[in-house]
Amino acid sequence: MDFLQSLGSGILSGLAYGLLGLGLVLIFRASEAFNFAVGEFLVIGGFLFYILYFGWHLPFLIALPIGLGAAAVFGAIVERLTIKPLMGRPALSMTIVTLGLSNILAGGLQATAGSNPYSFSLGLPDLTVEVGLLIYPSPQVWAGLLSIIFFCLILLFLYRTRWGLVIQATSESQPKALCFGINAQFVLLLVWAIATVCIGAAGIVIANLGALSYQTSLVGLRAIPVVLIGGLDSIPGALVGGLIVGVVEALTGAYVEPLGLIGFKEVVPYLVLLVTLFIRPYGLFGTVRIERV
Amino acid sequence: MKKNCCIAFMLVVTLLLFPATSLWAQSSKVIKIGAPIPLGGAGGAYVGIAWGYNDCQSYFAAKGGIRGYKVVYLVEDNRWDVTTEIAVINRQLTMEPKEELLLFCGNLITGTLKAMSEKINQEVRIPSIALSYSVEMFGSKGGPSKYPYYFSIGPDYSQQIALLLRYIKKDHKKDTPARLAVVYSPTEYGRDPLSDMKEDVARLGIKIVAEEEMAITASDVTSQIINIRKAQPDYIIWHGFLPGMLVAPVFLKTARQYLPKVPILGTHYQTTTPMIMAGDQAADGLIGVSTLVQWHETNNPFVRLVQEQAVKSNRQLPLGEKANYILGWNLGLLGAHAVDVTTASGDVSREGMKKALEKSTWDFEGMYEGRKFSYASHKVPMARIYKASFAQKQWNAITPWLNADEELK
């Protein structure tokens, strides 16, 4: 029974991690840069929604798209100000810029939102699943459900729309896309906007499990093992990586931590990452690259 | 010859002027209080503390100082970080004249107290009032005999938990012993009162049926809560968490889902308005011991004084910062009280301040419903048990003020 309980909880959390990972994968595919400011993006997405839903009391179905739209605009602005000027430079430069960005955003968040947490209960219909001793509380079920919905919407956009096709083409080869007359600069802006939507949506479902504060950005660190296990450029890899991290964390909490290894739950995703990288250096679904040096 | 005359003249002038400058310095009558407090950094920016401290200073400045002494609070950001705080303390100790800097009264994180214990208690010997409730520093393992210059603003965590255990003992109506689950953070702060608590529990006939640690960065604590549920506790005590920590609201919400009827009791930092904000509806009915008066208790003379000054200073305090503002005042007034009793004693020195504090009895501007306390144990021994109301977004008192030193004899 414990196993099923932990497995279910792990899968529900893992779906949210997967959504978070998807945001990073999209950016990496388009620019080969790793966004270290993922935690701050997550909190900013959460706060933009918070203002509309809890501050202005807009209905959930209106606040959600507007909030995520605002997050997209934020992502686009960040791209224009920090990433675009570095186009043509090595991807490492962009990655380093995101490190600095992370610090600036963290300080800005603390200065504007303060250090105290904000209540964050979406008040969605109760979907608690209770079968015998098994309980999956409503916020956890909603986290899983909303993550699946967002994941599907992003996939639909990427694989069933013209703009999605353009993004895929640019992600595959920027020079070739330029030859075909695709505005690669605009595509990069679009990718950052969509990635910020993914991360912001993950922020909303994760904040609903607890509260929203600038420290919620710590959850962003979970995205690192997620995408490295799944493969930095793999969309299905983000989902699988998220599920692996969620399940491994939950099972470790249930079976390993009671043996006295307290806090091991926080470490175990990185151990899994290490093992994965030994076996498959590009992650489970990552593209194997052969580079001449 | 001319040169020698010049040097001799300058020497004479210097010797004549030295006592005069020294007298001038005395007549300026300044007492400085070092106040490292968190204004930024990863641990959080709690500006309410600084505002409270600042307004308390303005209050005494408007009164013309204390017994003719100008009191200067050296407020500085410690970034809630031990290394930074140590640097702040060391710099203030180096730069400020020994006869002026008589006290530290601020955050003084437990880690800082440990690192600086030899310097403060044996070398510079300066009284230091800390926000720490550490058992190791102020409880059975520490105290004035081990750390003679350390003072705290409230009962240590063992005492706070002991008060909660006595509340449980009184509240438990079943014939069987109360079953208790204990949840804490895997930090020095979280583990600090555990051994004392286990001894106390045995004495009171309460049974600990589950003990769980929760990492402060955990975003899912289902496994821990399930373990607690299996143990079927009557009460849960949680300790070692701050409202801003990721895990605090996650714990409250998950616990309420799996164990909706089990009362959850916490120590001081779990008993704050931001914790109600963090936990949302799951915080309703939480019980906690607090060493500070609450903002809404306007029949309390201390709260009235604080609120009047907040209006005068035009402070727009968000809900979460009101408790911090009170905390700032609490520190400011303790510092002012220390100056008051020291100047009254006539021995205006670090040693004089320590002795005066130890001898003092005080009602803290009426904070404790007229009850006075003695600072002999180096702790303000007063605490009160509160219950959270989510609807009112406040903690309501369910006991009168308790003197832990007397209650737990």
Side-chain angles (χ1 to χ4, degrees):
Chain A
M1 196 59 83
D2 271 4
F3 179 77
L4 284 178
Q5 178 72 61
S6 306
L7 186 71
S9 298
I11 289 172
L12 294 172
S13 308
L15 287 167
Y17 294 160
L19 185 61
L20 195 58
L22 179 63
L24 288 186
V25 167
L26 290 176
I27 289 174
F28 185 82
R29 278 162 62 99
S31 57
E32 300 215 327
F34 190 91
N35 180 10
F36 276 106
V38 57
E40 286 68 34
F41 274 49
L42 181 142
V43 178
I44 288 168
F47 269 120
L48 290 170
F49 170 79
Y50 182 94
I51 293 166
L52 298 165
Y53 187 60
F54 296 99
W56 298 358
H57 304 290
L58 293 180
F60 178 73
L61 290 176
I62 296 173
L64 189 66
I66 299 178
L68 293 178
V73 172
F74 168 76
I77 293 171
V78 167
E79 192 277 338
R80 265 307 94 132
L81 295 178
T82 62
I83 302 299
K84 192 193 160 199
L86 295 174
M87 271 189 88
R89 302 263 178 93
L92 184 64
S93 314
M94 296 186 199
T95 304
I96 290 169
V97 160
T98 64
L99 271 173
L101 189 66
S102 162
N103 281 316
I104 292 167
L105 292 177
L109 271 170
Q110 212 182 75
T112 49
S115 298
N116 291 311
Y118 290 76
S119 295
F120 204 102
S121 289
L122 291 176
L124 297 170
D126 188 7
L127 292 184
T128 303
V129 176
E130 197 166 354
V131 185
L133 283 174
L134 283 180
I135 299 181
Y136 298 114
S138 186
Q140 271 192 17
V141 177
W142 273 110
L145 202 61
L146 287 174
S147 300
I148 292 172
I149 293 170
F150 284 121
F151 217 100
C152 291
L153 287 175
I154 300 288
L155 290 187
L156 270 176
F157 177 79
L158 287 177
Y159 293 104
R160 288 282 180 271
T161 65
R162 190 181 156 76
W163 277 108
L165 195 66
V166 168
I167 289 172
Q168 284 188 67
T170 315
S171 301
E172 213 159 274
S173 167
Q174 250 185 45
K176 280 183 198 165
L178 284 165
C179 290
F180 279 96
I182 294 171
N183 183 348
Q185 288 190 353
F186 180 72
V187 171
L188 193 58
L189 178 125
L190 192 65
V191 167
W192 270 78
I194 295 167
T196 313
V197 168
C198 278
I199 298 168
I204 294 167
V205 296
I206 288 167
N208 190 41
L209 298 172
L212 184 65
S213 77
Y214 80 100
Q215 290 205 5
T216 311
S217 62
L218 290 171
V219 182
L221 294 175
R222 299 282 200 295
I224 298 172
V226 167
V227 294
L228 291 178
I229 289 171
L232 258 172
D233 59 352
S234 167
I235 290 174
L239 183 63
V240 175
L243 290 173
I244 290 174
V245 169
V247 170
V248 162
E249 269 188 359
L251 292 178
T252 307
Y255 294 103
V256 182
E257 287 202 345
L259 301 176
L261 287 168
I262 306 300
F264 194 62
K265 194 172 156 178
E266 308 297 306
V267 184
V268 76
Y270 296 94
L271 287 179
V272 175
L273 166 64
L274 204 65
V275 173
T276 310
L277 292 184
F278 275 136
I279 301 164
R280 292 185 67 90
Y282 293 96
L284 294 177
F285 299 95
T287 311
V288 178
R289 295 168 191 216
I290 300 164
E291 289 173 24
R292 287 205 178 89
V293 289
Chain B
M1 179 69 186
K2 240 181 182 179
K3 195 178 166 188
N4 284 346
C5 278
C6 261
I7 291 170
F9 176 73
M10 280 167 71
L11 201 66
V12 170
V13 169
T14 311
L15 285 172
L16 282 172
L17 281 178
F18 181 73
T21 49
S22 158
L23 275 174
W24 173 81
Q26 274 182 12
S27 68
S28 67
K29 289 173 67 169
V30 173
I31 292 179
K32 290 180 178 169
I33 299 174
I37 52 176
L39 294 171
Y46 299 100
V47 288
I49 304 177
W51 288 343
Y53 224 136
N54 231 18
D55 291 349
C56 182
Q57 187 175 4
S58 308
Y59 169 73
F60 284 107
K63 285 170 79 170
I66 298 169
R67 293 181 196 273
Y69 278 82
K70 182 183 173 189
V71 183
V72 177
Y73 293 95
L74 306 168
V75 174
E76 210 166 322
D77 187 11
N78 72 345
R79 302 184 67 76
W80 209 305
D81 171 60
V82 171
T83 318
T84 312
E85 192 169 63
I86 289 172
V88 168
I89 291 172
N90 277 331
R91 194 164 36 71
Q92 290 185 350
L93 280 171
T94 313
M95 293 183 71
E96 301 300 334
K98 191 183 170 191
E99 57 283 356
E100 287 185 1
L101 180 62
L102 299 188
L103 174 74
F104 280 107
C105 182
N107 196 171
L108 303 179
I109 308 162
T110 308
T112 306
L113 295 180
K114 283 183 188 174
M116 299 288 284
S117 70
E118 206 175 305
K119 182 160 187 170
I120 288 180
N121 291 287
Q122 288 167 30
E123 290 173 32
V124 291
R125 297 176 183 221
I126 179 167
S128 303
I129 301 174
L131 277 184
S132 166
Y133 302 102
S134 159
V135 178
E136 195 178 334
M137 291 291 123
F138 300 103
S140 52
K141 298 161 200 156
S145 57
K146 202 169 173 187
Y147 306 108
Y149 290 84
Y150 283 167
F151 293 81
S152 169
I153 65 157
D156 65 73
Y157 287 127
S158 285
Q159 289 181 308
Q160 292 180 30
I161 287 182
L163 291 174
L164 291 175
L165 291 174
R166 274 140 192 87
Y167 171 83
I168 288 173
K169 184 87 181 152
K170 211 183 262 183
D171 184 67
H172 187 63
K173 301 287 182 250
K174 293 180 196 166
D175 295 333
T176 50
R179 297 167 67 81
L180 177 69
V182 186
V183 178
Y184 52 92
S185 59
T187 57
E188 272 189 83
Y189 163 37
R191 290 170 179 155
D192 190 43
L194 280 184
S195 59
D196 280 4
M197 179 178 69
K198 284 175 185 168
E199 285 170 23
D200 206 18
V201 158
R203 272 196 296 273
L204 292 169
I206 295 171
K207 199 174 168 191
I208 295 182
V209 292
E211 196 178 319
E212 290 289 331
E213 289 194 336
M214 293 188 312
I216 56 175
T217 54
S219 55
D220 174 37
V221 293
T222 314
S223 50
Q224 287 95 329
I225 299 291
I226 288 167
N227 290 342
I228 293 173
R229 188 178 63 165
K230 276 194 279 187
Q232 296 180 316
D234 296 313
Y235 300 89
I236 299 173
I237 284 185
W238 70 314
H239 166 73
F241 304 96
L242 300 172
M245 287 176 180
L246 196 60
V247 73
V250 175
F251 163 73
L252 289 177
K253 285 187 174 179
T254 316
R256 276 287 168 260
Q257 288 279 342
Y258 287 89
L259 300 152
K261 288 179 185 159
V262 180
I264 301 173
L265 303 92
T267 48
H268 177 80
Y269 287 110
Q270 286 88 74
T271 314
T272 60
T273 317
M275 195 57 92
I276 300 179
M277 290 156 64
D280 204 65
Q281 301 221 7
D284 195 46
L286 279 180
I287 294 166
V289 61
S290 175
T291 68
L292 291 177
V293 71
Q294 303 291 318
W295 181 267
H296 65 87
E297 293 176 320
T298 44
N299 54 350
N300 187 300
F302 172 85
V303 176
R304 279 204 300 272
L305 168 69
V306 168
Q307 292 194 1
E308 276 166 22
Q309 201 64 30
V311 171
K312 272 185 199 165
S313 307
N314 199 23
R315 296 286 181 206
Q316 306 297 320
L317 292 164
L319 184 63
E321 286 300 325
K322 285 177 177 168
N324 287 333
Y325 187 71
I326 283 188
L327 184 58
W329 264 89
N330 196 285
L331 283 171
L333 278 182
L334 259 174
H337 173 70
V339 172
D340 187 38
V341 290
T342 307
T343 48
S345 75
D347 181 4
V348 184
S349 64
R350 291 174 180 177
E351 198 56 36
M353 185 167 277
K354 175 186 169 276
K355 284 179 186 158
L357 273 173
E358 284 171 338
K359 279 184 202 157
S360 78
T361 51
W362 193 33
D363 70 345
F364 220 127
E365 302 289 331
M367 193 200 292
Y368 306 121
E369 295 172 339
R371 289 188 70 176
K372 288 188 174 184
F373 67 89
S374 154
Y375 219 170
S377 64
H378 286 211
K379 290 177 282 192
V380 176
M382 308 305 288
R384 195 173 202 183
I385 298 178
Y386 287 89
K387 193 169 192 174
S389 161
F390 174 70
Q392 295 171 295
K393 301 271 189 304
Q394 66 188 35
W395 291 86
N396 297 318
I398 53 174
T399 66
W401 281 101
L402 306 164
N403 185 321
D405 287 347
E406 290 170 9
E407 297 277 334
L408 305 171
K409 256 179 193 169

